[in-house]
Amino acid sequence: MTVRTVLTVAALTLQEAARRRVLRALAVLTVVLLALSAWGFSRIDAEFGGLTSGEARIASATVLNLVMFGLSLIAALGTAFLAGPTVAGDIESGTALAILARPVRRWAVLLGKWLGLVAFGGGFVALAGLAQLLIVRVTVGYWPPAPATGLALLAVQAMVLLTLGLLLSTAISPMASGVVAVGLFGATWIAGVVGSVGEALGNESVARVGTISRMLLPTDGLWRGAMNAFQDPGLLAQLGPGLQAHPFLNHASLTVTYLAWAALWLAVVLGLAAMAFHRRDL
């Protein structure tokens, strides 16, 4: 019964997400970004046809990471603003009261909503990311070394943000939860860049800013793992250590320990969201 409830709510959440205007905005932004990317990569080949194969790979991998950051930002905006109304909107409209008046467990409803949003966010990242990789392949002939790993990490990044959005939506309004989630996403990315500068300069205090921010909210850490998966393995060796702090290049892949931390973070925050929803006065 509980499993059926979870799956039913997940399917309804997925259908609801597909009907929202946020989906149309996401689709428009993604198409525009992919079109600009196709034009940009074609100009790299046309304007810099004299590049050596190594220089072409450097340019392609760097621009690919820049475009992928745009896709991850679109995914972050979409998931954050979809997660907010999912719980807080139902509470404000009285829909939650009508559903939960039946013998339905609150945590099952929340888990179903989470699964529906995960399916939506993961599907978006997979489709848009694969389209971007094919564009790069066709225009400049570059194919990243670990595309599946990179797309998977971007999907987990979206999961992290939508889980945070669900937790926030159990306490504040839909719009506020979306704004706070996106704001934290941006702040963590900036802190990560600051931390990379500290690592490049050998300043441990500044480097610690990035480390702490990636532990508190794993979005930037996962993004850096995705960048490493999309870029050529010998790229930083060719560019030298001076570009270690480049915001769209990463010199190391993610460790198993950090991935385990990200999984634990997801479980803890989802659990906190379930507890907050259970105690929420409808």
Side-chain angles (χ1 to χ4, degrees):
M1 178 63 182
T2 303
V3 174
R4 185 186 300 174
T5 301
V6 171
L7 295 178
T8 301
V9 174
L12 291 174
T13 302
L14 195 57
Q15 292 175 11
E16 182 184 358
R19 288 197 301 266
R20 287 183 180 273
R21 292 182 180 178
V22 174
L23 176 63
R24 292 173 228 167
L26 281 179
V28 171
L29 286 173
T30 304
V31 169
V32 170
L33 181 63
L34 293 178
L36 288 174
S37 150
W39 178 81
F41 276 103
S42 67
R43 297 313 300 166
I44 288 178
D45 186 57
E47 298 289 341
F48 303 103
L51 291 177
T52 64
S53 59
E55 291 170 337
R57 291 178 73 82
I58 291 172
S60 301
T62 306
V63 178
L64 173 61
N65 276 346
L66 175 62
V67 177
M68 282 300 186
F69 179 74
L71 281 180
S72 75
L73 181 59
I74 292 173
L77 288 169
T79 53
F81 282 99
L82 280 174
T86 299
V87 174
D90 285 352
I91 294 174
E92 289 184 357
S93 66
T95 304
L97 187 61
I99 295 174
L100 296 172
R102 301 167 185 173
V104 175
R105 298 179 185 275
R106 290 192 184 189
W107 67 264
V109 172
L110 188 78
L111 182 60
K113 288 179 178 293
W114 183 79
L115 285 177
L117 290 172
V118 166
F120 181 85
F124 169 79
V125 169
L127 291 176
L130 183 59
Q132 177 57 53
L133 295 180
L134 291 175
I135 287 173
V136 177
R137 176 71 175 181
V138 170
T139 51
V140 295
Y142 176 76
W143 188 252
T149 301
L151 293 179
L153 290 174
L154 289 183
V156 177
Q157 182 193 48
M159 286 172 58
V160 166
L161 204 61
L162 72 87
T163 306
L164 176 65
L166 273 182
L167 173 62
L168 293 171
S169 71
T170 60
I172 56 180
S173 68
M175 182 61 72
S177 62
V179 170
V180 172
V182 173
L184 290 174
F185 170 82
T188 305
W189 181 75
I190 293 173
V193 174
V194 171
S196 297
V197 173
E199 291 174 8
L201 298 177
N203 188 319
E204 293 185 4
S205 298
V206 177
R208 201 172 295 125
V209 173
T211 303
I212 293 174
S213 67
R214 289 170 204 144
M215 296 301 289
L216 293 176
L217 183 61
T219 51
D220 184 63
L222 294 166
W223 158 242
R224 289 180 179 279
M227 281 198 298
N228 184 265
F230 290 136
Q231 72 195 27
D232 188 274
L235 186 61
L236 286 176
Q238 297 178 48
L239 296 176
L243 287 179
Q244 187 176 359
H246 195 292
F248 296 108
L249 295 174
N250 191 40
H251 64 282
S253 57
L254 292 184
T255 63
V256 175
T257 304
Y258 188 80
L259 291 173
W261 165 249
L264 177 63
W265 189 97
L266 276 170
V268 169
V269 174
L270 186 59
L272 290 174
M275 289 175 58
F277 188 47
H278 179 73
R279 297 179 178 179
R280 177 70 185 267
D281 186 8
L282 301 179

